[in-house]
Amino acid sequence: MTITDRDSATDALRALSRFAVRTRIDDLPASVVTKARHHLLDTLGAALAGANSTETTALLSALTATEPRGKAAVWGTDLTLTPRSAALVNGVSAHALELDDSGGCDHSGAVVIPAALAALHATDRIVSGAQLLTAVVVGYDVARRVLEALGGYTPHNQAGWHSTGTCGPFGAAAAASHVLGLDEPQTAHALALAASSSGGIWAFVHDGAMSKRLHAGRAAEAGVTAALLAAHGVTGPSQVFGDVWGGFLRTLAPAHAATNALTDGLGQQWRISRCSIKPYASCRSTHSSVDAVGAILDEQRLAGEDVAGIHVRLNTFVHGMCGGTEMESLPAAQLSLPYAVAARVALGRADLSAYDGDNRQSPQVRSVLERIVLEVDGAMHPDTEPVITLTTRAGATHTRQVTDPLGSATNPLDAEAVATKFHGLADRVVPQEQARSIADTVERLDTIPDAQQLVRHLSIVTGPPVRRRAGSPLQGVAPDGEGSVHPHRREHPTGLGDRH
């Protein structure tokens, strides 16, 4: 399946569709299958926790008021919608709390996995767990390759594009096409159609608007839609990746397009291997700083009250994206490097609970924030991680730069850590026994004959409301009050260097 240099840009679409159709789980290295399971479990945990988010609750209110019920599960609820709408909602849920993976399109998990599972509900064919896992790997690969063909994350981001929204539809279309069993011409049309749904701008960074979360869901929805349309004979442009007027790469990246990235090493170099799983509930660009300040505190046995000041030297790119100190909304706080550092110092953690309303307003966190100084280094490369210098009240200084933050592809979370994160999120929404069933099914997925077995575990079984386990709701998530439940739900106890 190796693609040679003789393949032109106009042949890349055919090459990608052939890859999406012909790849089988036996083509995947064991490490790639394991990584796919990790990312699948991680995404499901993030999505279940996000099912009660403000964004998902509002979206469900809009959809259920205007759409008939379908048969596709809305994870973490007792609702079903059409496959397209389920992909939209589940994608938003997966990205809603900034806990989903990165390094793909960028947030491939929140795009590819909702699309692949939604497609299960749009076909009568029995799709095995191995086929589902393969679809996930294919989706991650295609989405990331499109981003690399646009010149990579940094120039695409600096141009104002949010790559989750612009490149995600291609990965979602590839995954959905594989699940639906489309042939090569149909898959090519699905990928080409996905280009017309590409979109997403970084304007949300200035006020923490909810549109960022929508980009993942819309990309998932777009991919499912493209695959379904292609299955019914709708055509997409064969020159979508060609160097022609209106071509995707020329339009979005006229100065940075790298067409060869679409096919270089295709079927041999697996892009999911470059992806990161987040240990912290914040923008990926904050993680190395959290690790750096945490390492200093741990090694020097310092407490928050021992810290006189923290100096952060960072590049212009990261400062523009994560240099804010606005904490009123959850999205704004999660895009703030100063807040992530302050939470680690004042609270000893930067997990989901560190971002609840009480902690965002706590005097301890605010006090540390006042002691953080950012220095923008215009000569620092956009991919260079920040340098942290901590000064103690005794006058000592300690400097640390973490180049491979926890959860990155070069410093990955192990299987136990991935499972611990999943249960910490899923147990907020579903009973612990159900969460264990999800984790067990994912672990055995490549041996399971029918992938619907996984989907059945993701719904809430209706019944009388049960009091949620103490401390489980994220404050501020439910728009109608802490711990409130959407009227359609029942409560239960219970690529390297990319920057968000």
Side-chain angles (χ1 to χ4, degrees), residues 469-491:
R469 190 170 60 186
S472 64
L474 177 66
Q475 182 171 341
V477 164
D480 46 345
E482 182 177 2
S484 63
V485 185
H486 189 279
H488 297 286
R489 298 195 182 101
R490 301 291 187 272
E491 289 214 275

PDB file of all heavy atoms in Angstrom, residues 469-491:
ATOM      1  N   ARG A 469     -23.322  11.038  42.787  1.00  0.00           N
ATOM      2  CA  ARG A 469     -22.284  10.915  43.797  1.00  0.00           C
ATOM      3  C   ARG A 469     -21.735  12.291  44.162  1.00  0.00           C
ATOM      4  O   ARG A 469     -21.527  13.136  43.308  1.00  0.00           O
ATOM      5  CB  ARG A 469     -21.143  10.035  43.275  1.00  0.00           C
ATOM      6  CG  ARG A 469     -20.160   9.659  44.326  1.00  0.00           C
ATOM      7  CD  ARG A 469     -19.203   8.601  43.806  1.00  0.00           C
ATOM      8  NE  ARG A 469     -18.465   9.071  42.650  1.00  0.00           N
ATOM      9  CZ  ARG A 469     -17.659   8.292  41.948  1.00  0.00           C
ATOM     10  NH1 ARG A 469     -17.559   7.015  42.248  1.00  0.00           N
ATOM     11  NH2 ARG A 469     -16.998   8.777  40.936  1.00  0.00           N
ATOM     12  N   ALA A 470     -21.494  12.504  45.401  1.00  0.00           N
ATOM     13  CA  ALA A 470     -21.060  13.810  45.890  1.00  0.00           C
ATOM     14  C   ALA A 470     -19.831  14.273  45.137  1.00  0.00           C
ATOM     15  O   ALA A 470     -18.882  13.528  44.937  1.00  0.00           O
ATOM     16  CB  ALA A 470     -20.741  13.733  47.379  1.00  0.00           C
ATOM     17  N   GLY A 471     -19.885  15.543  44.719  1.00  0.00           N
ATOM     18  CA  GLY A 471     -18.723  16.158  44.086  1.00  0.00           C
ATOM     19  C   GLY A 471     -18.595  15.864  42.616  1.00  0.00           C
ATOM     20  O   GLY A 471     -17.672  16.329  41.974  1.00  0.00           O
ATOM     21  N   SER A 472     -19.536  15.111  42.011  1.00  0.00           N
ATOM     22  CA  SER A 472     -19.344  14.724  40.625  1.00  0.00           C
ATOM     23  C   SER A 472     -19.662  15.807  39.610  1.00  0.00           C
ATOM     24  O   SER A 472     -19.009  15.877  38.598  1.00  0.00           O
ATOM     25  CB  SER A 472     -20.155  13.472  40.303  1.00  0.00           C
ATOM     26  OG  SER A 472     -21.524  13.709  40.415  1.00  0.00           O
ATOM     27  N   PRO A 473     -20.685  16.681  39.830  1.00  0.00           N
ATOM     28  CA  PRO A 473     -20.927  17.649  38.779  1.00  0.00           C
ATOM     29  C   PRO A 473     -19.814  18.686  38.728  1.00  0.00           C
ATOM     30  O   PRO A 473     -19.309  19.116  39.757  1.00  0.00           O
ATOM     31  CB  PRO A 473     -22.260  18.303  39.157  1.00  0.00           C
ATOM     32  CG  PRO A 473     -22.732  17.672  40.394  1.00  0.00           C
ATOM     33  CD  PRO A 473     -21.615  16.846  40.945  1.00  0.00           C
ATOM     34  N   LEU A 474     -19.476  19.099  37.540  1.00  0.00           N
ATOM     35  CA  LEU A 474     -18.542  20.204  37.382  1.00  0.00           C
ATOM     36  C   LEU A 474     -19.329  21.484  37.533  1.00  0.00           C
ATOM     37  O   LEU A 474     -20.232  21.765  36.762  1.00  0.00           O
ATOM     38  CB  LEU A 474     -17.882  20.139  36.006  1.00  0.00           C
ATOM     39  CG  LEU A 474     -16.928  21.270  35.684  1.00  0.00           C
ATOM     40  CD1 LEU A 474     -15.721  21.211  36.608  1.00  0.00           C
ATOM     41  CD2 LEU A 474     -16.487  21.188  34.237  1.00  0.00           C
ATOM     42  N   GLN A 475     -19.015  22.296  38.507  1.00  0.00           N
ATOM     43  CA  GLN A 475     -19.797  23.493  38.783  1.00  0.00           C
ATOM     44  C   GLN A 475     -19.828  24.376  37.552  1.00  0.00           C
ATOM     45  O   GLN A 475     -18.826  24.623  36.899  1.00  0.00           O
ATOM     46  CB  GLN A 475     -19.196  24.269  39.949  1.00  0.00           C
ATOM     47  CG  GLN A 475     -20.023  25.513  40.309  1.00  0.00           C
ATOM     48  CD  GLN A 475     -19.542  26.141  41.578  1.00  0.00           C
ATOM     49  OE1 GLN A 475     -18.859  25.518  42.361  1.00  0.00           O
ATOM     50  NE2 GLN A 475     -19.897  27.381  41.778  1.00  0.00           N
ATOM     51  N   GLY A 476     -21.026  24.870  37.236  1.00  0.00           N
ATOM     52  CA  GLY A 476     -21.170  25.746  36.093  1.00  0.00           C
ATOM     53  C   GLY A 476     -21.501  25.014  34.808  1.00  0.00           C
ATOM     54  O   GLY A 476     -21.798  25.634  33.809  1.00  0.00           O
ATOM     55  N   VAL A 477     -21.453  23.691  34.813  1.00  0.00           N
ATOM     56  CA  VAL A 477     -21.708  22.952  33.590  1.00  0.00           C
ATOM     57  C   VAL A 477     -23.182  22.967  33.232  1.00  0.00           C
ATOM     58  O   VAL A 477     -23.557  23.199  32.114  1.00  0.00           O
ATOM     59  CB  VAL A 477     -21.195  21.511  33.700  1.00  0.00           C
ATOM     60  CG1 VAL A 477     -21.790  20.640  32.620  1.00  0.00           C
ATOM     61  CG2 VAL A 477     -19.687  21.505  33.594  1.00  0.00           C
ATOM     62  N   ALA A 478     -24.040  22.705  34.207  1.00  0.00           N
ATOM     63  CA  ALA A 478     -25.470  22.689  33.919  1.00  0.00           C
ATOM     64  C   ALA A 478     -26.008  24.113  33.926  1.00  0.00           C
ATOM     65  O   ALA A 478     -25.878  24.828  34.898  1.00  0.00           O
ATOM     66  CB  ALA A 478     -26.209  21.846  34.952  1.00  0.00           C
ATOM     67  N   PRO A 479     -26.621  24.585  32.826  1.00  0.00           N
ATOM     68  CA  PRO A 479     -27.052  25.969  32.753  1.00  0.00           C
ATOM     69  C   PRO A 479     -28.188  26.299  33.697  1.00  0.00           C
ATOM     70  O   PRO A 479     -28.412  27.459  34.007  1.00  0.00           O
ATOM     71  CB  PRO A 479     -27.487  26.127  31.294  1.00  0.00           C
ATOM     72  CG  PRO A 479     -27.848  24.754  30.848  1.00  0.00           C
ATOM     73  CD  PRO A 479     -26.937  23.847  31.600  1.00  0.00           C
ATOM     74  N   ASP A 480     -28.925  25.303  34.166  1.00  0.00           N
ATOM     75  CA  ASP A 480     -30.046  25.586  35.034  1.00  0.00           C
ATOM     76  C   ASP A 480     -29.739  25.238  36.482  1.00  0.00           C
ATOM     77  O   ASP A 480     -30.626  24.919  37.257  1.00  0.00           O
ATOM     78  CB  ASP A 480     -31.288  24.820  34.539  1.00  0.00           C
ATOM     79  CG  ASP A 480     -30.967  23.371  34.212  1.00  0.00           C
ATOM     80  OD1 ASP A 480     -29.776  23.039  34.096  1.00  0.00           O
ATOM     81  OD2 ASP A 480     -31.915  22.595  34.069  1.00  0.00           O
ATOM     82  N   GLY A 481     -28.460  25.324  36.844  1.00  0.00           N
ATOM     83  CA  GLY A 481     -28.114  25.159  38.242  1.00  0.00           C
ATOM     84  C   GLY A 481     -27.215  23.968  38.479  1.00  0.00           C
ATOM     85  O   GLY A 481     -27.270  22.977  37.772  1.00  0.00           O
ATOM     86  N   GLU A 482     -26.354  24.055  39.493  1.00  0.00           N
ATOM     87  CA  GLU A 482     -25.415  22.979  39.790  1.00  0.00           C
ATOM     88  C   GLU A 482     -26.156  21.699  40.106  1.00  0.00           C
ATOM     89  O   GLU A 482     -27.078  21.682  40.904  1.00  0.00           O
ATOM     90  CB  GLU A 482     -24.519  23.376  40.959  1.00  0.00           C
ATOM     91  CG  GLU A 482     -23.483  22.317  41.279  1.00  0.00           C
ATOM     92  CD  GLU A 482     -22.561  22.745  42.398  1.00  0.00           C
ATOM     93  OE1 GLU A 482     -22.765  23.838  42.940  1.00  0.00           O
ATOM     94  OE2 GLU A 482     -21.663  21.977  42.732  1.00  0.00           O
ATOM     95  N   GLY A 483     -25.731  20.625  39.421  1.00  0.00           N
ATOM     96  CA  GLY A 483     -26.324  19.323  39.674  1.00  0.00           C
ATOM     97  C   GLY A 483     -27.643  19.104  38.971  1.00  0.00           C
ATOM     98  O   GLY A 483     -28.215  18.043  39.065  1.00  0.00           O
ATOM     99  N   SER A 484     -28.133  20.124  38.227  1.00  0.00           N
ATOM    100  CA  SER A 484     -29.396  19.933  37.534  1.00  0.00           C
ATOM    101  C   SER A 484     -29.203  19.009  36.342  1.00  0.00           C
ATOM    102  O   SER A 484     -28.113  18.809  35.849  1.00  0.00           O
ATOM    103  CB  SER A 484     -29.950  21.270  37.063  1.00  0.00           C
ATOM    104  OG  SER A 484     -29.090  21.867  36.138  1.00  0.00           O
ATOM    105  N   VAL A 485     -30.298  18.437  35.885  1.00  0.00           N
ATOM    106  CA  VAL A 485     -30.224  17.436  34.842  1.00  0.00           C
ATOM    107  C   VAL A 485     -31.081  17.869  33.664  1.00  0.00           C
ATOM    108  O   VAL A 485     -32.174  18.390  33.824  1.00  0.00           O
ATOM    109  CB  VAL A 485     -30.742  16.084  35.376  1.00  0.00           C
ATOM    110  CG1 VAL A 485     -30.567  14.998  34.343  1.00  0.00           C
ATOM    111  CG2 VAL A 485     -30.024  15.726  36.663  1.00  0.00           C
ATOM    112  N   HIS A 486     -30.563  17.644  32.483  1.00  0.00           N
ATOM    113  CA  HIS A 486     -31.345  17.903  31.292  1.00  0.00           C
ATOM    114  C   HIS A 486     -32.620  17.065  31.356  1.00  0.00           C
ATOM    115  O   HIS A 486     -32.594  15.912  31.786  1.00  0.00           O
ATOM    116  CB  HIS A 486     -30.506  17.516  30.060  1.00  0.00           C
ATOM    117  CG  HIS A 486     -31.135  17.930  28.773  1.00  0.00           C
ATOM    118  ND1 HIS A 486     -32.121  17.189  28.181  1.00  0.00           N
ATOM    119  CD2 HIS A 486     -30.928  19.016  27.990  1.00  0.00           C
ATOM    120  CE1 HIS A 486     -32.497  17.786  27.057  1.00  0.00           C
ATOM    121  NE2 HIS A 486     -31.788  18.886  26.924  1.00  0.00           N
ATOM    122  N   PRO A 487     -33.759  17.611  30.923  1.00  0.00           N
ATOM    123  CA  PRO A 487     -35.017  16.888  31.082  1.00  0.00           C
ATOM    124  C   PRO A 487     -35.059  15.545  30.365  1.00  0.00           C
ATOM    125  O   PRO A 487     -35.893  14.705  30.673  1.00  0.00           O
ATOM    126  CB  PRO A 487     -36.056  17.849  30.476  1.00  0.00           C
ATOM    127  CG  PRO A 487     -35.277  18.832  29.660  1.00  0.00           C
ATOM    128  CD  PRO A 487     -33.962  18.942  30.347  1.00  0.00           C
ATOM    129  N   HIS A 488     -34.151  15.294  29.434  1.00  0.00           N
ATOM    130  CA  HIS A 488     -34.157  14.010  28.738  1.00  0.00           C
ATOM    131  C   HIS A 488     -33.208  13.008  29.375  1.00  0.00           C
ATOM    132  O   HIS A 488     -33.017  11.936  28.847  1.00  0.00           O
ATOM    133  CB  HIS A 488     -33.770  14.218  27.270  1.00  0.00           C
ATOM    134  CG  HIS A 488     -34.737  15.055  26.517  1.00  0.00           C
ATOM    135  ND1 HIS A 488     -35.968  14.593  26.120  1.00  0.00           N
ATOM    136  CD2 HIS A 488     -34.670  16.355  26.105  1.00  0.00           C
ATOM    137  CE1 HIS A 488     -36.622  15.545  25.469  1.00  0.00           C
ATOM    138  NE2 HIS A 488     -35.859  16.620  25.441  1.00  0.00           N
ATOM    139  N   ARG A 489     -32.573  13.366  30.509  1.00  0.00           N
ATOM    140  CA  ARG A 489     -31.594  12.486  31.125  1.00  0.00           C
ATOM    141  C   ARG A 489     -32.088  11.982  32.477  1.00  0.00           C
ATOM    142  O   ARG A 489     -32.966  12.549  33.097  1.00  0.00           O
ATOM    143  CB  ARG A 489     -30.268  13.205  31.344  1.00  0.00           C
ATOM    144  CG  ARG A 489     -29.622  13.683  30.066  1.00  0.00           C
ATOM    145  CD  ARG A 489     -28.182  14.022  30.381  1.00  0.00           C
ATOM    146  NE  ARG A 489     -27.533  14.541  29.183  1.00  0.00           N
ATOM    147  CZ  ARG A 489     -27.325  15.829  28.967  1.00  0.00           C
ATOM    148  NH1 ARG A 489     -27.683  16.711  29.851  1.00  0.00           N
ATOM    149  NH2 ARG A 489     -26.730  16.225  27.860  1.00  0.00           N
ATOM    150  N   ARG A 490     -31.450  10.916  32.958  1.00  0.00           N
ATOM    151  CA  ARG A 490     -31.636  10.451  34.316  1.00  0.00           C
ATOM    152  C   ARG A 490     -30.277  10.448  34.986  1.00  0.00           C
ATOM    153  O   ARG A 490     -29.279  10.086  34.373  1.00  0.00           O
ATOM    154  CB  ARG A 490     -32.196   9.019  34.338  1.00  0.00           C
ATOM    155  CG  ARG A 490     -33.529   8.889  33.612  1.00  0.00           C
ATOM    156  CD  ARG A 490     -34.643   9.599  34.359  1.00  0.00           C
ATOM    157  NE  ARG A 490     -35.922   9.333  33.763  1.00  0.00           N
ATOM    158  CZ  ARG A 490     -36.442  10.064  32.780  1.00  0.00           C
ATOM    159  NH1 ARG A 490     -35.767  11.082  32.287  1.00  0.00           N
ATOM    160  NH2 ARG A 490     -37.624   9.771  32.285  1.00  0.00           N
ATOM    161  N   GLU A 491     -30.225  10.833  36.231  1.00  0.00           N
ATOM    162  CA  GLU A 491     -28.948  10.832  36.933  1.00  0.00           C
ATOM    163  C   GLU A 491     -28.651   9.452  37.508  1.00  0.00           C
ATOM    164  O   GLU A 491     -29.530   8.668  37.802  1.00  0.00           O
ATOM    165  CB  GLU A 491     -28.972  11.849  38.073  1.00  0.00           C
ATOM    166  CG  GLU A 491     -28.956  13.280  37.574  1.00  0.00           C
ATOM    167  CD  GLU A 491     -28.198  14.150  38.532  1.00  0.00           C
ATOM    168  OE1 GLU A 491     -28.791  14.607  39.503  1.00  0.00           O
ATOM    169  OE2 GLU A 491     -26.998  14.343  38.308  1.00  0.00           O
TER     170      GLU A 491
END
